[in-house]
Amino acid sequence: MKTSVGIIGGSGLYDMEGLTNVQERRLETPFGSPSDVVVTGELAGKPVAFLPRHGRGHRFLPTEVNYRANIYALKSLGVTHIVSVSAVGSLQERHAPGGVVIPTQILDRTNGARERTFFGKGVVGHVSLADPYCPELQAVVHKAALKEIPSTTLGGTYVCVEGPRFSSRAESHSFRALEADIIGMTAMPEAILAREAELPYTTLAFVTDYDCWKESEDAVSVEAVLAVLKKNVDASKRIVRGVVEALPAEVKSNPIYEAAKFAIMTPKELIPHETKRALDLLYGKYWR
């Protein structure tokens, strides 16, 4: 199987030097429409697919993003690895604005308004998320990020909140007490859906602010977030290119590619036909 990299992030990431055979793919999935058209092409000899998480022009709240359709669409295009590019706030002094964190754990503080699983409608499955991110992919992303931003940290916990509001000071201090490292609004359910879809996934998190716990600094604002993101646009493109270049042309063995092998509890003869059809791309190999 050939390596194909999916990038979920800002709408301008695909505007990079060296991207060839560019196409816009408007897709539909059994779970509805993705956030926007998917831009596909080739970079460093490998297929790539770019999907703006919030739609072009940033049109969807974190709660409104159709995470299931996004992951399904990338899977349908043959994507074998997903890199999520995100803006986050820092909850610890050591993660200064302008730096990068590649988290290894997630603390989910979303409120249940998001569709967070491909299972249901007659099929029950339980996929492990003990380690939400792929360590092999993280190592590649870490190496590429270090070349561009020396203040890159591998490790730490991403606390995912519902949004769209930013935290109160009490909330920010409580997350610090839980020893979380960064705070954002999109890691969940994106990470669990990627795992259910058996796709290695990792987050490249650009630190834009100190949230609001650090009272010697201004509280987080959209203006501050956008300023840091604008500064890091070119670096993020170079990091993405470095990741694509570093990945092998052929996919290597990885247990994530069989993450759902023993997860489905419902006997295949009891799964409704419509559900089977909707999930055939993901799990058909287990019930054919």
Side-chain angles (χ1 to χ4, degrees), residues 2-7 43-48 79-83 134-141 143-144 200 202 239-252 254 257:
K2 293 189 179 297
T3 294
S4 176
V5 184
I7 311 296
L43 188 63
K46 299 183 184 76
V48 292
V79 161
T80 60
H81 301 75
I82 294 178
V83 177
C134 172
E136 288 85 359
L137 182 56
Q138 284 189 312
V140 175
V141 174
K143 186 174 181 179
T202 195
I239 292 169
V240 166
R241 183 181 182 89
V243 170
V244 175
E245 289 175 341
L247 286 170
E250 297 288 333
V251 169
K252 294 183 177 180
N254 188 321
Y257 293 126

Side-chain angles (χ1 to χ4, degrees), residues 73-246:
L74 292 178
K75 179 84 170 183
S76 73
L77 291 172
V79 161
T80 60
H81 301 75
I82 294 178
V83 177
S84 161
V85 182
S86 302
V88 298
S90 169
L91 294 169
Q92 304 297 335
E93 186 85 39
R94 61 184 176 274
H95 304 307
V100 164
V101 177
I102 302 166
T104 49
Q105 282 295 326
I106 299 173
L107 185 60
D108 189 359
R109 286 292 183 269
T110 58
N111 63 21
R114 310 176 186 201
E115 295 286 355
R116 59 189 60 238
T117 182
F118 288 113
F119 296 114
K121 295 190 175 180
V123 59
V124 174
H126 303 284
V127 171
S128 172
L129 199 68
D131 297 298
Y133 298 106
C134 172
E136 288 85 359
L137 182 56
Q138 284 189 312
V140 175
V141 174
H142 181 223
K143 186 174 181 179
L146 275 174
K147 291 180 179 178
E148 298 298 329
I149 302 178
S151 54
T152 293
T153 300
L154 174 59
T157 297
Y158 178 136
V159 58
C160 185
V161 296
E162 189 65 40
R165 67 173 179 85
F166 295 130
S167 302
S168 70
R169 294 192 195 277
E171 289 168 331
S172 194
H173 282 292
S174 73
F175 296 140
R176 278 171 50 76
L178 292 171
E179 299 184 347
D181 290 83
I182 53 178
I183 182 170
M185 302 178 188
T186 58
M188 290 296 287
E190 202 171 79
I192 181 55
L193 291 168
R195 184 59 55 86
E196 287 187 354
E198 302 183 318
L199 291 171
Y201 171 91
T202 195
T203 291
L204 175 67
F206 286 88
V207 179
T208 60
D209 56 83
Y210 278 116
D211 201 40
C212 63
W213 63 269
K214 192 173 183 181
E215 298 191 17
S216 61
E217 301 276 341
D218 291 336
V220 57
S221 67
V222 171
E223 182 182 16
V225 170
L226 292 177
V228 175
L229 288 180
K230 184 177 180 180
K231 184 178 178 181
N232 284 325
V233 167
D234 290 338
S236 64
K237 291 179 182 179
R238 290 192 294 269
I239 292 169
V240 166
R241 183 181 182 89
V243 170
V244 175
E245 289 175 341

